[in-house]
Amino acid sequence: MFAVFLLFSRSNAQLSTTFYDRSCPNVSAVVRGVIEQAAQTDVRIGAKLIRLHFHDCFVDGCDGSVLLDNADGMVSEKDAVPNSGSLDGFSVVDDIKTAVENVCPGVVSCADILAIASQISVSLGRGQTWEVQLGRRDSRTANQAGANNNLPSPSGDLDNIISKFSAHTFGRARCVSFKGRLYNFQSTGNPDPTIDATYLETLRQTCPQGGDNNTLANLDQATANDFDNNYFTNLQNNKGLLQSDQELLSTTGADTIDIVNRFANSQSDFFDSFGQSMIKMGNISPLTGSNGEIRSDCKRVN
Ligand code: HEM
Ligand SMILES: *[C@@H]1O[C@H](CO)[C@@H](O)[C@H](O)[C@H]1NC(C)=O
Ligand SMILES: *[C@@H]1O[C@H](CO)[C@@H](O)[C@H](O)[C@H]1NC(C)=O
């Protein structure tokens, strides 16, 4: 994770850690209960939820826009290229929303549910958490073009991703997201020279050249479902799954090399920085005050 959100972060005095203390004091416990339940049948649910928050925040800010379905005058972000067939966890968000509405109707936004769910997901993955800032409201619009343009590509070069950060210590990726590296890296006809040879062999077995693009591989080979700093050790061993990940270390002279090495050496350093990054990401242009609305169904505007 690289906390370089300077471009995006604005100070938002409106968000606060105590926002629901009086209006919905038990919201965190309710969200946690639903996620724990879902995790019993889907080890990946935490990864799905934190990614939803990321894909929400990077498109017009953290406003729940990613959750809106197609409707009259509504072109869903779910069908944008980075999301389609890949982003998941929507039904669990609906379950969370239902559970929260049962205890505090009309109070907690879908945007805040994603922020709370991200923090809980990291803690369930055994990572250290942060104090979630709350008070976001939900958008009445979606921005599919924004989702196509603003979300970073897995084959993006470092200039593209350095201002963002990488969070791939748990979860899965589809073969289509990294197959190019295995067989025809940047149209060379050869694999990406930075991939460890044994790892390349393993990945080719998982993702044969003409095989199913939707087969999944672990983003973190060492500890697939834990939120930990092994992701950075993988990069040191040339075992990063996505090009955008491995480049953080393998790009000559990159500013990120020192960061990767530091986080590989210190899990607590990594956790501290990650928490700060998540707070910054969660602060991207939220709707507050009387802007937007509190959706009663995360899939549609009121
Ligand atoms: C440089 C920026 C980033 C790029 C290029 C990127 C790209 C990707 C790609 C291509 C996948 C696999 C999707 C698929 O094949 O279906 C993925 C998965 C994932 N991403 Fe990112 N990502 C970035 C940053 C982030 C950030 C900031 C977060 C969270 C804060 C995040 C969280 C995740 C998670 C948890 C998964 C696994 C999801 C699952 O198992 O369903 N990523 N990412
Ligand atoms: C808060 O929610 C949790 C999970 O649903 C529940 O077990 C607990 O009893 C609730 N506490 C209060 C004070 O309502
Ligand atoms: C997999 O995706 C690539 C790139 O999008 C495409 O060219 C190829 O036809 C797909 N393969 C299959 C088997 O669907």
Short mmCIF file of all heavy atoms in Angstrom, two decimals, residues 224-246:
data_model
loop_
_atom_site.label_atom_id
_atom_site.label_comp_id
_atom_site.label_asym_id
_atom_site.label_seq_id
_atom_site.Cartn_x
_atom_site.Cartn_y
_atom_site.Cartn_z
N ALA A 224 -2.60 -16.42 1.37
CA ALA A 224 -3.64 -15.95 0.46
C ALA A 224 -4.77 -15.18 1.11
O ALA A 224 -5.30 -14.24 0.52
CB ALA A 224 -4.21 -17.15 -0.30
N ASN A 225 -5.14 -15.56 2.33
CA ASN A 225 -6.33 -14.94 2.93
C ASN A 225 -6.01 -14.04 4.11
O ASN A 225 -6.93 -13.51 4.74
CB ASN A 225 -7.33 -16.03 3.35
CG ASN A 225 -7.77 -16.85 2.15
OD1 ASN A 225 -8.00 -16.32 1.07
ND2 ASN A 225 -7.87 -18.16 2.34
N ASP A 226 -4.74 -13.89 4.42
CA ASP A 226 -4.37 -13.04 5.55
C ASP A 226 -3.97 -11.66 5.06
O ASP A 226 -3.34 -11.51 4.01
CB ASP A 226 -3.18 -13.63 6.32
CG ASP A 226 -3.61 -14.81 7.17
OD1 ASP A 226 -4.84 -15.06 7.26
OD2 ASP A 226 -2.73 -15.48 7.72
N PHE A 227 -4.31 -10.69 5.88
CA PHE A 227 -3.90 -9.32 5.59
C PHE A 227 -2.58 -9.10 6.31
O PHE A 227 -2.55 -8.86 7.51
CB PHE A 227 -4.98 -8.35 6.07
CG PHE A 227 -4.77 -6.99 5.49
CD1 PHE A 227 -5.43 -6.61 4.34
CD2 PHE A 227 -3.87 -6.11 6.07
CE1 PHE A 227 -5.21 -5.37 3.78
CE2 PHE A 227 -3.64 -4.86 5.51
CZ PHE A 227 -4.31 -4.49 4.37
N ASP A 228 -1.47 -9.20 5.57
CA ASP A 228 -0.16 -9.11 6.21
C ASP A 228 0.86 -8.57 5.23
O ASP A 228 0.53 -8.23 4.09
CB ASP A 228 0.26 -10.49 6.73
CG ASP A 228 0.32 -11.52 5.61
OD1 ASP A 228 0.42 -11.12 4.43
OD2 ASP A 228 0.23 -12.71 5.90
N ASN A 229 2.12 -8.48 5.65
CA ASN A 229 3.14 -7.86 4.80
C ASN A 229 3.85 -8.86 3.88
O ASN A 229 4.83 -8.50 3.24
CB ASN A 229 4.16 -7.07 5.64
CG ASN A 229 5.01 -7.97 6.51
OD1 ASN A 229 4.62 -9.11 6.79
ND2 ASN A 229 6.16 -7.49 6.93
N ASN A 230 3.36 -10.10 3.80
CA ASN A 230 3.98 -11.05 2.88
C ASN A 230 3.93 -10.60 1.44
O ASN A 230 4.77 -11.00 0.62
CB ASN A 230 3.30 -12.41 2.99
CG ASN A 230 4.00 -13.29 4.00
OD1 ASN A 230 5.22 -13.35 4.02
ND2 ASN A 230 3.23 -13.92 4.85
N TYR A 231 2.94 -9.80 1.13
CA TYR A 231 2.84 -9.24 -0.21
C TYR A 231 4.17 -8.58 -0.62
O TYR A 231 4.62 -8.73 -1.75
CB TYR A 231 1.69 -8.24 -0.22
CG TYR A 231 1.65 -7.26 -1.36
CD1 TYR A 231 1.12 -7.63 -2.59
CD2 TYR A 231 2.11 -5.96 -1.19
CE1 TYR A 231 1.07 -6.72 -3.63
CE2 TYR A 231 2.06 -5.05 -2.23
CZ TYR A 231 1.54 -5.44 -3.44
OH TYR A 231 1.49 -4.54 -4.46
N PHE A 232 4.79 -7.89 0.31
CA PHE A 232 6.04 -7.18 0.00
C PHE A 232 7.21 -8.15 -0.11
O PHE A 232 8.10 -7.97 -0.95
CB PHE A 232 6.30 -6.09 1.04
CG PHE A 232 5.19 -5.07 1.07
CD1 PHE A 232 4.21 -5.12 2.04
CD2 PHE A 232 5.11 -4.09 0.09
CE1 PHE A 232 3.17 -4.21 2.05
CE2 PHE A 232 4.07 -3.17 0.08
CZ PHE A 232 3.10 -3.23 1.06
N THR A 233 7.20 -9.21 0.70
CA THR A 233 8.23 -10.24 0.58
C THR A 233 8.09 -10.94 -0.78
O THR A 233 9.10 -11.24 -1.43
CB THR A 233 8.08 -11.28 1.72
OG1 THR A 233 7.81 -10.57 2.92
CG2 THR A 233 9.33 -12.11 1.87
N ASN A 234 6.85 -11.15 -1.20
CA ASN A 234 6.65 -11.75 -2.53
C ASN A 234 7.31 -10.89 -3.60
O ASN A 234 7.96 -11.41 -4.51
CB ASN A 234 5.15 -11.84 -2.86
CG ASN A 234 4.41 -12.81 -1.99
OD1 ASN A 234 4.98 -13.72 -1.41
ND2 ASN A 234 3.10 -12.63 -1.89
N LEU A 235 7.15 -9.59 -3.51
CA LEU A 235 7.76 -8.71 -4.51
C LEU A 235 9.27 -8.86 -4.49
O LEU A 235 9.92 -8.93 -5.53
CB LEU A 235 7.36 -7.26 -4.27
CG LEU A 235 5.86 -6.91 -4.32
CD1 LEU A 235 5.64 -5.41 -4.17
CD2 LEU A 235 5.22 -7.40 -5.62
N GLN A 236 9.83 -8.95 -3.28
CA GLN A 236 11.29 -9.13 -3.17
C GLN A 236 11.74 -10.42 -3.84
O GLN A 236 12.85 -10.53 -4.34
CB GLN A 236 11.72 -9.14 -1.70
CG GLN A 236 11.59 -7.78 -1.03
CD GLN A 236 12.00 -7.83 0.44
OE1 GLN A 236 11.79 -8.84 1.12
NE2 GLN A 236 12.57 -6.74 0.94
N ASN A 237 10.85 -11.42 -3.83
CA ASN A 237 11.17 -12.72 -4.43
C ASN A 237 10.70 -12.82 -5.88
O ASN A 237 10.63 -13.91 -6.44
CB ASN A 237 10.52 -13.84 -3.61
CG ASN A 237 11.12 -13.92 -2.22
OD1 ASN A 237 12.30 -13.63 -2.04
ND2 ASN A 237 10.31 -14.30 -1.24
N ASN A 238 10.35 -11.69 -6.47
CA ASN A 238 9.83 -11.66 -7.85
C ASN A 238 8.57 -12.50 -8.02
O ASN A 238 8.37 -13.14 -9.06
CB ASN A 238 10.91 -12.11 -8.84
CG ASN A 238 12.05 -11.12 -8.87
OD1 ASN A 238 11.82 -9.91 -8.90
ND2 ASN A 238 13.28 -11.61 -8.83
N LYS A 239 7.75 -12.49 -6.98
CA LYS A 239 6.51 -13.26 -7.03
C LYS A 239 5.28 -12.37 -6.83
O LYS A 239 4.31 -12.75 -6.17
CB LYS A 239 6.54 -14.38 -5.98
CG LYS A 239 7.58 -15.44 -6.31
CD LYS A 239 7.62 -16.54 -5.26
CE LYS A 239 8.63 -17.62 -5.68
NZ LYS A 239 8.83 -18.61 -4.62
N GLY A 240 5.33 -11.19 -7.39
CA GLY A 240 4.14 -10.34 -7.41
C GLY A 240 3.24 -10.80 -8.54
O GLY A 240 3.72 -11.11 -9.63
N LEU A 241 1.92 -10.85 -8.33
CA LEU A 241 1.05 -11.40 -9.37
C LEU A 241 0.78 -10.41 -10.50
O LEU A 241 0.88 -10.75 -11.66
CB LEU A 241 -0.29 -11.86 -8.76
CG LEU A 241 -1.23 -12.56 -9.74
CD1 LEU A 241 -0.64 -13.87 -10.25
CD2 LEU A 241 -2.59 -12.81 -9.12
N LEU A 242 0.41 -9.19 -10.15
CA LEU A 242 0.08 -8.21 -11.18
C LEU A 242 1.32 -7.42 -11.56
O LEU A 242 2.18 -7.14 -10.72
CB LEU A 242 -1.01 -7.25 -10.68
CG LEU A 242 -2.31 -7.86 -10.18
CD1 LEU A 242 -3.26 -6.78 -9.71
CD2 LEU A 242 -2.96 -8.70 -11.27
N GLN A 243 1.39 -7.04 -12.80
CA GLN A 243 2.50 -6.20 -13.26
C GLN A 243 2.58 -4.94 -12.41
O GLN A 243 3.66 -4.50 -11.99
CB GLN A 243 2.29 -5.84 -14.73
CG GLN A 243 3.41 -4.96 -15.29
CD GLN A 243 3.07 -4.48 -16.69
OE1 GLN A 243 2.23 -5.06 -17.36
NE2 GLN A 243 3.73 -3.42 -17.11
N SER A 244 1.41 -4.35 -12.14
CA SER A 244 1.37 -3.09 -11.38
C SER A 244 1.92 -3.28 -9.98
O SER A 244 2.39 -2.33 -9.35
CB SER A 244 -0.06 -2.55 -11.33
OG SER A 244 -0.96 -3.56 -10.92
N ASP A 245 1.88 -4.50 -9.46
CA ASP A 245 2.45 -4.77 -8.14
C ASP A 245 3.97 -4.94 -8.24
O ASP A 245 4.73 -4.28 -7.53
CB ASP A 245 1.84 -6.05 -7.56
CG ASP A 245 0.37 -5.87 -7.18
OD1 ASP A 245 -0.07 -4.71 -7.08
OD2 ASP A 245 -0.31 -6.87 -6.99
N GLN A 246 4.41 -5.84 -9.12
CA GLN A 246 5.83 -6.14 -9.20
C GLN A 246 6.66 -4.90 -9.55
O GLN A 246 7.79 -4.74 -9.08
CB GLN A 246 6.08 -7.25 -10.22
CG GLN A 246 7.50 -7.78 -10.20
CD GLN A 246 7.89 -8.36 -8.83
OE1 GLN A 246 7.18 -9.19 -8.27
NE2 GLN A 246 9.00 -7.89 -8.27
#
